[in-house]
Each structure stands twice: as structure tokens, then as C-alpha cells.
Amino acid sequence: MAKKLSKKQIIDKLRIDEHYYGEFGRQWLSNSDIQNLQPSTFKQFGKVEPDNENFVKGRYFHQLILEPEKAKDFPIWSATETRGKAYKEFLEEKGLNFVLKESEAETIENMAKEIVNRNEQLTELITNKDALREEPFIGHIFGHEFKCKCDLISQGICVDLKSTSAKTIEEFVWLGKNKYFYDSQAFIYQTLTNKSMTFVAIDKAKKEYGNTGEFYHEIYVCPTSEETILQGKQKVERAVQIYENYHGKDKKEDIRNVIYNLNF
């Protein structure tokens, strides 16, 4: 296991998704664990989520930008535009839970092209030949072992790519801080990489330039503030305390004894 491996050997192994997201990688806490170590979710800690539509779409989007050699072999359903009997048989044959339709894949491909090509500075950041892509890191936070896998480390910045349904940059920031735990992600990533964190997001919905008939996807570039990092730190610290109470080696309480009590 990890204790018998050097740090380099661990990082090399964590570069492989099967190990990062599998049993080997579960030796470390991550931001996804922080979401399941909140006062209302801590009974779900350790639950492995099956592959689903959002995971598949996000994975294809990331591969197109960061690992195009993998994207070439991404399974796409092109036989029909519906998910009928033949589609279900295809899933069963391949052992998959969800496959993109051709039209969905094309939408994601257009988003990936736009985020890479529309802005010169952003293009340089993403396509920099010296950039690290899908690079794992490990380290200690509040006395516990954590891991992260950075989408991109380029020009001294840790960049995380997102696709979003937020309609404005203000909504994206609000949702990131109050719903999707981007603040705790930023704290963990910045702590483990020792680099500043920036989120780059693209709106899934198309918008039109006025009445021109020309459409585009909104792109948001959001460096993280000290306030966001502090808020994320507080979330992680609270989550670690919950982990120690209910899931740690020396846990103090049994989750089966917990009931919720709140006045209406």
C-alpha cells in the first residue's frame, strides 16, 4: 500500500484514474469527501457514486482539452438519436452506465474548441507546452492525508476547468461558494500545490450576439480571493472534525446513533 511506496511512486500510480478514484486513492481524503463530511451529509461518507451523465460529459470535456489522445477513443453512441432498446443493449455489452449521443458529443466538442481558442491569454495558458495536465498531489492538511488532481498547472497557476449552467459570472461564483464546494477545493488544491488557484468555466447554454445569428458560449475566468480560500479552509476544518468524530481510526461517536433535531 501507500506506506511502502515512495512519494514519486504514489504520484505515478495516482496519475492513473483507476487508482486515483479506486481503492488505492481512497487512502487519502479529497474535496469530494469534504462534500460528504458536512453536518447533513456525513452518513454518506465513503459512498462510491456510479458513473452518470454529468460525470461522462465532464470527462469528455476535460479529455478534449487536456488529453485529446484519450478523447479519440471516447465511446459515442451514433446509431440513433434516441436512447432506446439498441442503446441499452450497447450499454450492457460495453458494461457502461451512460454513453454520449453524437449530438451531445458535438456540443461538448464545440465548447472545448471555444474555451481553447477564443482568448489569446487563455489559449496560451491552456496550450502551454510546459504545462502539467491531470497532475496529482498529496500532502497533510489538519493532520490528515489529502490528495488532489489538478486539471492544469500552467504559468505558475493551478487551473480547474468547469462547465456550468450558471447564466452569469456572479451566479457561477455564488454557486461555487455556496453549493458546489469550489471554495474548499481551492483551499485544498492551493495548499497541496503551493500555487494560486483559478477556475475557468464555460456556460453550457449558447447565447447570441445581439440579433446577429452568431452564437457563443460565455466564458468565466475566476482567480480565487483570500476570502474564498479562508471560507474553504473553514469548511475543510469542520469536515475533518466530523471525520474524526464519526469515521476516523479513533472515532468518538457511532453514526447509527445520530438523529436530526430541528425546530420548525
Side-chain angles (χ1 to χ4, degrees):
M1 297 298 283
K3 296 185 187 304
K4 298 179 181 178
L5 300 176
S6 68
K7 186 172 182 178
K8 181 183 182 305
Q9 288 172 320
I10 292 170
I11 294 299
D12 287 342
K13 194 165 183 176
L14 289 175
R15 286 195 179 100
I16 302 168
D17 284 351
E18 178 185 352
H19 295 309
Y20 186 88
Y21 296 105
E23 184 178 350
F24 179 78
R26 285 194 283 274
Q27 296 174 86
W28 291 268
L29 295 172
S30 68
N31 191 56
S32 59
D33 293 318
I34 300 306
Q35 299 180 52
N36 281 332
L37 286 169
Q38 299 301 305
S40 61
T41 63
F42 66 87
K43 294 180 183 180
Q44 302 301 309
F45 173 77
K47 184 177 181 180
V48 179
E49 294 291 340
D51 219 13
N52 60 44
E53 179 177 348
N54 288 332
F55 289 165
V56 173
K57 288 181 175 180
R59 188 159 60 246
Y60 189 48
F61 175 68
H62 279 73
Q63 285 186 5
L64 286 166
I65 297 170
L66 303 171
E67 301 176 296
E69 67 284 353
K70 287 186 179 181
K72 293 175 184 176
D73 299 320
F74 206 88
I76 306 294
W77 175 248
S78 57
T80 64
E81 256 304 304
T82 58
R83 291 190 167 93
K85 182 181 177 183
Y87 169 81
K88 292 174 183 175
E89 290 173 348
F90 178 80
L91 290 184
E92 189 173 345
E93 177 189 337
K94 299 294 183 183
L96 300 170
N97 293 324
F98 181 86
V99 173
L100 293 172
K101 295 188 297 184
E102 208 165 32
S103 58
E104 293 168 331
E106 185 178 342
T107 297
I108 296 170
E109 288 159 11
N110 289 336
M111 288 167 55
K113 288 176 185 174
E114 193 159 351
I115 206 168
V116 170
N117 295 324
R118 209 170 85 201
N119 177 277
E120 186 176 338
Q121 286 181 309
L122 194 53
T123 299
E124 170 58 27
L125 191 69
I126 293 173
T127 61
N128 189 322
K129 64 181 178 61
D130 296 321
L132 297 175
R133 293 171 174 80
E134 298 289 357
E135 183 69 8
F137 289 81
I138 57 173
H140 286 83
I141 299 175
F142 299 128
H144 293 271
E145 293 187 55
F146 274 78
K147 67 175 181 180
C148 72
K149 184 177 276 193
C150 297
D151 287 348
L152 185 72
I153 294 183
S154 181
Q155 300 179 3
I157 301 170
C158 179
V159 178
D160 195 77
L161 299 170
K162 305 286 189 188
S163 55
T164 180
S165 298
K167 295 177 174 58
T168 65
I169 191 168
E170 291 84 6
E171 184 183 1
F172 172 75
V173 169
W174 189 91
L175 287 170
K177 289 183 177 183
N178 295 285
K179 184 176 181 180
Y180 295 127
F181 287 80
Y182 295 167
D183 50 356
S184 57
Q185 179 187 355
F187 168 70
I188 292 168
Y189 281 44
Q190 190 160 304
T191 301
L192 296 184
T193 67
N194 199 30
K195 298 185 185 302
S196 61
M197 182 84 185
T198 291
F199 292 99
V200 175
I202 185 165
D203 185 0
K204 297 175 186 177
K206 284 184 178 179
K207 294 180 180 177
E208 185 179 7
Y209 289 112
N211 257 338
T212 63
E214 184 182 355
F215 292 85
Y216 67 99
H217 292 273
E218 202 72 81
I219 295 172
Y220 311 134
V221 178
C222 302
T224 49
S225 65
E226 290 184 12
E227 178 189 358
T228 294
I229 298 298
L230 178 59
Q231 181 173 303
K233 179 180 179 180
Q234 291 168 343
K235 279 186 182 177
V236 174
E237 188 170 22
R238 179 177 62 180
V240 164
Q241 289 170 351
I242 291 173
Y243 173 79
E244 291 171 350
N245 281 340
Y246 295 102
H247 301 285
K249 186 172 63 173
D250 301 315
K251 61 186 178 183
K252 305 174 183 67
E253 301 182 50
D254 189 331
I255 59 173
R256 290 168 292 190
N257 295 331
V258 175
I259 60 171
Y260 291 106
N261 190 334
L262 184 66
N263 291 332
F264 273 98

